[in-house]
Amino acid sequence: MLVNLLPEYEKNLSSAFNEKDFEALGEQAHKLKGATLYCATPRLTEAAKALENVVRNNEQSLDLLYHHLIKEIVAVKEEFNLLNSINENQI
């Protein structure tokens, strides 16, 4: 399940970003984009796609898009946790 992989993606993206390893950053964004395509997470998909494209094209907005992608990862994790807790309370 995608939500179980998000902490690993977040860690790998953060590590690549902090180490300024832009090749690894682009690869992680590409992998995350692929993982999200069929998971009804369009904002996360678009954020991963945007970061992948910026890394590939050496554009200046890398910092902004990296932080946007991390924000979307956190949002998906929080939404999943909320829905999970609602389902548990209904049982």
Side-chain angles (χ1 to χ4, degrees):
M1 183 180 294
L2 174 66
V3 74
N4 295 332
L5 299 173
L6 290 178
E8 181 179 345
Y9 280 114
E10 186 176 9
K11 180 182 76 107
N12 292 342
L13 286 160
S14 294
S15 176
F17 180 79
N18 291 329
E19 294 172 12
K20 305 225 183 302
D21 184 349
F22 300 121
E23 183 176 338
L25 186 63
E27 288 173 6
Q28 287 299 309
H30 177 77
K31 288 179 183 179
L32 178 57
K33 179 188 74 176
T36 64
L37 287 174
Y38 301 102
C39 295
T41 56
R43 291 188 340 224
L44 181 55
T45 302
E46 287 303 314
K49 180 180 175 181
L51 181 61
E52 178 189 12
N53 289 336
V54 163
V55 170
R56 185 181 305 140
N57 297 323
N58 295 317
E59 295 177 19
Q60 297 299 317
S61 54
L62 174 68
D63 190 59
L64 177 68
L65 290 174
Y66 162 76
H67 290 290
H68 179 67
L69 177 56
I70 296 299
K71 177 181 161 191
E72 292 301 333
I73 289 173
V74 170
V76 169
K77 291 190 308 186
E78 289 174 351
E79 185 70 19
F80 177 80
N81 290 335
L82 176 64
L83 292 172
N84 201 27
S85 68
I86 291 170
N87 286 336
E88 288 175 357
N89 289 334
Q90 292 179 352
I91 296 176

